[in-house]
Amino acid sequence: MFSGASIILFSFLKFLLHAQLNTLLLHNTIDASLNMVCNVGMTDTELIAYYGGPAKLARMLGFPEQGGVQRIQNWTTRGIPPAVKVQFPEIFLNAATAPARGEAQEAA
């Protein structure tokens, strides 16, 4: 009915399918664990709100009024670019030790 080559090919394809499923399961498990460990701070949206919203954060970062607020508003859905986080580490990379709400608003 089936030749030896087609049985071997079928077995190999079945093995690949299971390997891909196992790899996906493993990646999802590892990703979820790493995210739980590494994401101890605030989300980007929470961080923007913490510092008083897009307008106040734009002033803190020294962005121009024209376009600066919109740029930061876009970050609430797209995320804060890593280059900006590195450029302003005292604001974005110290989320676990962020200043009290009053201190953040006084800085603006």
Side-chain angles (χ1 to χ4, degrees):
M1 197 173 226
F2 293 107
S3 69
S6 22
I7 291 174
I8 291 173
L9 180 62
F10 177 75
S11 298
F12 181 69
L13 291 174
K14 186 176 173 185
F15 168 76
L16 284 179
L17 177 64
H18 286 294
Q20 285 179 333
L21 289 175
N22 288 337
T23 302
L24 287 173
L25 288 172
L26 184 62
H27 282 273
N28 285 339
T29 303
I30 290 173
D31 285 348
S33 300
L34 284 175
N35 283 337
M36 281 188 265
V37 171
C38 296
N39 291 340
V40 293
M42 297 182 235
T43 66
D44 290 346
T45 303
E46 291 171 339
L47 202 57
I48 291 168
Y50 176 80
Y51 284 109
K56 286 188 178 182
L57 187 56
R59 283 192 296 274
M60 282 178 67
L61 299 177
F63 289 171
E65 286 289 324
Q66 183 75 15
V69 176
Q70 181 61 46
R71 178 179 178 188
I72 293 177
Q73 179 61 39
N74 290 341
W75 294 349
T76 61
T77 54
R78 298 178 187 159
I80 300 170
V84 174
K85 288 183 179 183
V86 171
Q87 188 177 2
F88 299 98
E90 65 281 356
I91 294 175
F92 297 115
L93 298 181
N94 296 328
T97 59
R101 189 181 246 315
E103 293 176 32
Q105 291 176 351
E106 288 171 11

